[in-house]
Amino acid sequence: MNNSEKIAVLEKKVTRVTWIESPGPIMFGLGLYGKFGAGGNAFHPLLNDATVVTSLLVIGGLIMIWGGYNIFTLKRQLNRLTKA
């Protein structure tokens, strides 16, 4: 495998991780809205439940951390290949 093929594979992996990670910020944002913005009058009744809101914050945060770590490592590998 030459460098251009490796770069293409890594870019495809970055795209895949980005798609997998995309629900994380949405969940985290809904959790923040339910915690701080709704004030007990959310647009959906589940966002008024403290357990659901805390779960959204934790799960969304973990997905974002996982995705950020994976994207960081893949981009670092891409950077090494493009400089070589």
Side-chain angles (χ1 to χ4, degrees):
M1 232 180 171
N2 60 16
N3 276 351
S4 62
E5 291 173 349
K6 289 178 185 177
I7 289 172
V9 168
L10 286 174
E11 287 174 348
K12 188 180 276 191
K13 286 182 181 181
V14 168
T15 303
R16 186 174 351 127
V17 169
T18 303
W19 276 100
I20 293 170
E21 185 225 8
S22 63
I26 296 169
M27 293 170 69
F28 193 76
L30 284 172
L32 287 176
Y33 167 74
K35 185 84 167 173
F36 301 111
N41 191 18
F43 65 87
H44 194 281
L46 283 176
L47 294 176
N48 292 325
D49 184 10
T51 306
V52 172
V53 169
T54 303
S55 298
L56 284 171
L57 288 169
V58 170
I59 295 169
L62 288 174
I63 291 171
M64 289 185 342
I65 290 170
W66 173 83
Y69 174 76
N70 281 324
I71 290 174
F72 176 76
T73 56
L74 290 170
K75 289 286 190 176
R76 188 171 52 186
Q77 290 174 4
L78 268 171
N79 193 18
R80 287 181 187 153
L81 283 176
T82 55
K83 286 184 178 182

